Amino acid sequence: MCIDARYADFNNPDQLAEAFKGADTVLLISMPFVGPRRRAAHKNAVDAAVKAGVRRLIYTSIVGAGLDECDTYEVSDHKYTEAYIKSQPIHYVFLRDAQYAEAMVSAFEEAYEKTNGVLSNNMGDGKMAYISRDDCALFAATVAAGAGEDDVIYEVSGYEPLTIAQYLAIASEVTGKKVVYHEISDEQMYAFFDSIGVPRTTEQMWVDTAKNFPFCSDGMVTFGRAIRLNHMSTFTHDSEKIVGHKPMSVKEIFEDIENHKIGSITSTED
């Protein structure tokens, strides 16, 4: 198998088609911005793959994308992209990743350092099979290398489904830093993010005061609501079947916390 790294401009369809030329498989990792621009960028990539004669397109989607009632800020774009790919003459593989455990690592640290060990959000008692980005990347690379089947959807779940309170209990035990959960409403959650400078949408980008939250509040609030309603509680063993072993548990992630922080978004639209 030959792996070739090429520059790809998602806003330039002609350049994309040239970049994909000769490829058998393309792994399309969803863009970090949300809304019409992301849909346009994804459409450009899909069109370019078809134009270049790519046989198989792997797309990193999100948990909940298969439910009509799941209508979060993030999920809507993934539903659009999945439907568009299915309408094209190309084989597809959708990887519906669960929520990144690293995102909640940052939330845990923020709560311990700035809100007296209380993490307040709107997730309630809903469950999520939190997964490390490392495991998502390994799953995607394994499929890109030829594992799995064509025209299928894989639910890329973490080690086990947990409520946010259960997640925090594990994190507290491992780190020795006690953080407890307090449920708040969607409106209260918006007010919190507004107070620390988190923008409502990705159109506004990110500011220094919100460095631990490289996401927009529309995304996080609607995501939390979907978790509370158990629209994103899907749990499977697809990772074991494809990769050959279980993904990291939340306990293991916090035991290696320095390597599992959310970090910075590095992609660009320029």
Side-chain angles (χ1 to χ4, degrees):
M1 181 181 67
C2 177
I3 299 175
D4 187 14
R6 303 177 186 178
Y7 173 77
D9 182 349
F10 280 63
N11 297 313
N12 187 334
D14 292 335
Q15 190 279 328
L16 271 178
E18 185 62 29
F20 294 160
K21 190 174 181 180
D24 173 81
T25 298
V26 166
L27 170 60
L28 172 57
I29 298 174
S30 58
M31 297 293 97
F33 40 93
V34 183
R37 286 187 298 165
R38 175 154 71 167
R39 296 185 186 196
H42 288 178
K43 182 178 183 299
N44 286 342
V46 175
D47 290 344
V50 172
K51 183 177 180 180
V54 172
R55 186 187 68 82
R56 183 175 67 149
L57 182 64
I58 304 168
Y59 174 62
T60 59
S61 187
I62 194 169
V63 62
L67 293 177
D68 290 340
E69 60 267 35
C70 189
D71 61 351
T72 80
Y73 186 67
E74 297 280 350
V75 169
S76 297
D77 287 349
H78 292 288
K79 287 183 176 181
Y80 165 84
T81 304
E82 285 191 11
Y84 188 70
I85 292 171
K86 281 186 173 182
S87 73
Q88 300 303 302
I90 192 170
H91 290 294
Y92 66 86
V93 181
F94 298 153
L95 310 181
R96 290 180 179 161
D97 294 342
Q99 184 178 11
Y100 295 149
E102 289 84 354
M104 298 313 298
V105 169
S106 291
F108 172 85
E109 291 192 313
E110 184 87 8
Y112 182 77
E113 295 170 4
K114 297 184 178 180
T115 55
N116 298 316
V118 177
L119 190 154
S120 300
N121 69 29
N122 62 339
M123 293 179 181
D125 292 325
K127 289 193 173 183
M128 169 64 71
Y130 299 97
I131 188 166
S132 168
R133 292 182 299 179
D134 290 345
D135 282 315
C136 290
L138 179 58
F139 194 110
T142 303
V143 173
E149 302 176 5
D150 291 343
D151 306 322
V152 297
I153 298 170
Y154 293 113
E155 301 285 351
V156 188
S157 304
Y159 185 83
E160 60 184 336
L162 299 168
T163 65
I164 186 59
Q166 291 171 325
Y167 177 102
L168 295 175
I170 294 170
S172 297
E173 182 177 357
V174 172
T175 64
K177 301 176 180 179
K178 186 176 181 180
V179 176
V180 296
Y181 176 62
H182 172 64
E183 184 176 358
I184 58 176
S185 67
D186 296 348
E187 292 74 21
Q188 290 171 313
M189 194 171 173
Y190 269 122
F192 166 70
F193 286 131
D194 288 346
S195 73
I196 62 171
V198 176
R200 289 290 181 107
T201 72
T202 56
E203 296 295 319
Q204 299 167 278
M205 301 308 293
W206 297 273
V207 293
D208 290 340
T209 54
K211 63 183 180 180
N212 286 339
F213 294 98
F215 310 102
C216 66
S217 60
D218 273 352
M220 290 185 284
V221 174
T222 58
F223 205 91
R225 182 189 68 207
I227 292 174
R228 183 178 72 242
L229 296 174
N230 276 312
H231 291 169
M232 309 184 92
S233 58
T234 301
F235 174 67
T236 73
H237 296 284
D238 285 352
S239 185
E240 291 177 68
K241 295 175 184 176
I242 296 299
V243 179
H245 59 77
K246 292 179 179 291
M248 284 182 283
S249 66
V250 169
K251 180 177 183 292
E252 290 171 317
I253 288 168
F254 274 92
E255 287 172 341
D256 188 25
I257 190 172
E258 290 304 315
N259 290 316
H260 293 284
K261 297 184 178 182
I262 198 64
S264 300
I265 289 177
T266 56
S267 59
T268 177
E269 295 176 76
D270 297 333

